[in-house]
Amino acid sequence: MLKEMADNDFIVSKTDLKGKITYCNKIFMKMAEYKEEELLGEPHNIIRHPDMPKAVFKYLWDTIPTKQEVFAFVVNRTKNDNHYWVFTNVTASVDNNGKIIGYYSVRRKPNPEALKVIIPLYKEMLRVEKSEGVEASFKVLTDILQEKGVGYDELIISLQK
């Protein structure tokens, strides 16, 4: 069953450097259908949906350690096998010396018009990923970016508006 976030909801979570959840807000727990004690210390991919192309997470994990923020549309799976879409922003958390000490993610309701573009794109990326691998899947995305003459962030942010 598809769950939807309310317009003013924000899901917030923090992880350590290995992606284990160190903080989650109540909206995260409500949407993911987990209790706080079931989430803390678990890898953030506990909510990863099998319909998400691995290439999107590869881009995310290649980018955020460089202290650049990443925006993405993500479908998550709940504890009870429901799912929900989010528009997410992920950034590195740094200490006073600029050293990365974890990651911070804020998610909100995605623009429904954006999902009309993203869902077929992710389906195609997954199809390619299953037969040719993650790099080939990512090439599906980069080919579209090249065709449109935009960068990844430009495309993703423009879809959310």
Side-chain angles (χ1 to χ4, degrees), residues 19-20 27 71 87 123:
K20 290 188 177 182
I27 296 171
F71 294 91
F87 176 68
K123 281 185 180 177

Side-chain angles (χ1 to χ4, degrees), residues 40-113:
L40 295 180
E42 293 297 320
H44 209 283
N45 67 12
I46 191 173
I47 58 168
R48 186 174 292 179
H49 195 284
D51 287 348
M52 274 303 298
K54 291 178 183 168
V56 174
F57 291 108
K58 180 183 181 320
Y59 174 77
L60 186 145
W61 287 111
D62 286 350
T63 304
I64 56 174
T66 66
K67 300 179 186 172
Q68 293 179 308
E69 63 183 342
V70 172
F71 294 91
F73 292 93
V74 176
V75 62
N76 292 313
R77 180 170 54 188
T78 73
K79 179 180 177 180
N80 299 309
D81 213 24
N82 296 308
H83 65 284
Y84 59 98
W85 280 91
V86 296
F87 176 68
T88 188
N89 170 250
V90 183
T91 58
S93 298
V94 297
D95 66 13
N96 289 338
N97 298 317
K99 181 181 174 191
I100 296 175
I101 56 173
Y103 301 102
Y104 184 79
S105 175
V106 178
R107 288 150 274 167
R108 63 182 159 173
K109 183 178 179 178
N111 180 336
E113 293 301 312

Side-chain angles (χ1 to χ4, degrees), residues 127-140:
R127 187 190 65 75
V128 170
E129 197 168 281
K130 287 178 182 170
S131 61
E132 300 173 46
V134 173
E135 293 299 326
S137 172
F138 194 70
K139 188 174 181 324
V140 170

